[in-house]
Amino acid sequence: MGQFFETIPEVAIPWILDQKMFWVSTAPLSASGHINVSPKGGDYFGILDNKTFWYMDLTGSGNETISHLYEPGNGRITIMFCAFAGPPRIVRLFGHGTVLESGTAAFDQFVKKQDVKTIPGSRSIINVDVHQAAGSCGFSVPFYEFKDFRTTLNDHFKKRVEKFEAGKSEESMERYWAYKNAWSIDGLPGLQVALKTAKEEHVAPIQKMVGPLAPKAYLNDRRFPVKHLVLAAISTAFLTVCLFFIGLAAVDRAPLKV
C-alpha cells in the first residue's frame, strides 16, 4: 500500500543513497507542452536533510529539466527510485527544483561546501526542496543485476575539454551548451550561459522536434492570448456603453417628485 510523508523518511535515506540510478520528471506549464522523463546514473546525487535532495546535472543533448525549472511559476519536479534487487520498493520525491549553473558563484559554493567531485561534463546542480515523499510496492518491477556505470559521457566531454584547452575554441562547453541547451523542445529558454554564449558568439540553436506537429513557439495555455485580451476589452467597452444608455433611459422614465 502506498504511503505519503511530508519529509524523506529516515529509514529510506540509506536505501536511496545506495541506488545506482533514478528518474527525473518535469513538465512545462502549458497543456500542449511535452512531459520529460530522464534517467540518471552514477554517484552524482545526495541528500542534505530530510527535505532536500540534490543531483549533479551532466551535459547532454537535452535540457528539458532546466527549462521547466526556470519557467516562471513552475519549478515542479519528481524524483523516482526503484529497487532492482532485494525487496521490491519504489520511492518518489515530489518538490520544487532550483538550478545552480556551472560557473556561477552558487554552483561553486555548493560544490565546495558539499565536497562534490565535478567532471568536465558537469552542467549544473539541481536542488530539490521536497514537500512530499511517497513509498509504494514496486511488485511489478523486474530484477536487474548491476554491472558497472557507463563512462561514455564522461570520456566524451573530457576529450572535448582537452581539445578546447589545446586551442580549439569551437570545442568549448559554452558553445556546445549554446547549440543544444539554449532552448527546450517546446521553446522555453534553457541554460542562461547557453543563451548568453549563443548571442555573443552567434551560435544558432539545433532544431529539436521535426514534422508538422513540432512546436513552432512556446504557448502557455494558462495565459490569455492577445486576441482574447482584445476581445475581452471590446466586450467590456460595449457592455459599459450599453449600461450607460440603459441608465439614461431609466432616468428619463422615472417620475418626478415635487
Side-chain angles (χ1 to χ4, degrees):
M1 180 181 295
Q3 291 180 298
F4 286 85
F5 309 88
E6 293 183 59
T7 59
I8 306 172
E10 294 294 331
V11 296
I13 292 178
W15 178 84
I16 290 174
L17 296 176
D18 192 46
Q19 299 310 298
K20 303 299 187 291
M21 69 176 299
F22 58 95
W23 286 262
V24 176
S25 183
T26 58
L29 293 177
S30 171
S32 61
H34 293 79
I35 299 169
N36 185 69
V37 181
S38 295
K40 306 294 181 182
D43 188 23
Y44 303 122
F45 67 93
I47 295 176
L48 301 183
D49 53 51
N50 63 5
K51 291 185 70 69
T52 313
F53 173 85
W54 69 271
Y55 72 90
M56 185 162 62
D57 171 59
L58 302 180
T59 299
S61 58
N63 59 283
E64 300 304 296
T65 301
I66 289 174
S67 291
H68 298 159
L69 296 183
Y70 271 149
E71 183 181 15
N74 197 342
R76 303 165 300 164
I77 187 170
T78 299
I79 310 294
M80 186 181 77
F81 293 88
C82 291
F84 293 111
R89 190 177 197 178
I90 296 175
V91 171
R92 292 180 177 88
L93 306 178
F94 302 91
H96 281 76
T98 303
V99 182
L100 310 179
E101 289 193 23
S102 177
T104 64
F107 178 91
D108 294 339
Q109 290 169 7
F110 184 93
V111 167
K112 182 179 180 180
K113 184 176 181 180
Q114 304 302 327
D115 193 25
V116 177
K117 181 182 179 181
T118 62
I119 61 175
S122 298
R123 184 170 60 181
S124 70
I125 294 291
I126 305 296
N127 259 335
V128 181
D129 180 17
V130 178
H131 62 257
Q132 286 284 297
S136 53
C137 63
F139 288 168
S140 66
V141 176
F143 286 104
Y144 279 100
E145 180 183 356
F146 174 74
K147 291 187 176 181
D148 204 352
F149 292 117
R150 297 179 190 269
T151 62
T152 309
L153 184 143
N154 305 35
D155 296 339
H156 174 78
F157 287 110
K158 180 182 178 181
K159 292 177 181 178
R160 187 181 184 95
V161 170
E162 289 174 349
K163 291 177 182 178
F164 171 73
E165 292 176 345
K168 294 185 177 181
S169 59
E170 67 275 12
E171 296 290 340
S172 73
M173 292 301 302
E174 289 77 10
R175 287 188 66 85
Y176 179 95
W177 293 334
Y179 181 50
K180 294 190 175 182
N181 299 158
W183 301 92
S184 76
I185 57 179
D186 292 305
L188 280 170
L191 275 176
Q192 294 178 3
V193 66
L195 294 167
K196 180 175 180 290
T197 302
K199 182 178 180 180
E200 293 177 349
E201 301 189 23
H202 308 290
V203 180
I206 186 175
Q207 181 182 357
K208 295 187 174 180
M209 284 195 163
V210 297
L213 298 181
K216 298 299 186 295
Y218 183 68
L219 172 63
N220 188 339
D221 305 299
R222 295 190 176 190
R223 299 177 183 174
F224 292 105
V226 174
K227 63 180 181 180
H228 290 173
L229 294 175
V230 172
L231 181 61
I234 294 174
S235 300
T236 301
F238 178 75
L239 182 60
T240 301
V241 172
C242 290
L243 291 175
F244 175 76
F245 283 109
I246 290 173
L248 288 180
V251 171
D252 291 340
R253 290 197 301 268
L256 295 176
K257 294 183 179 180
V258 179

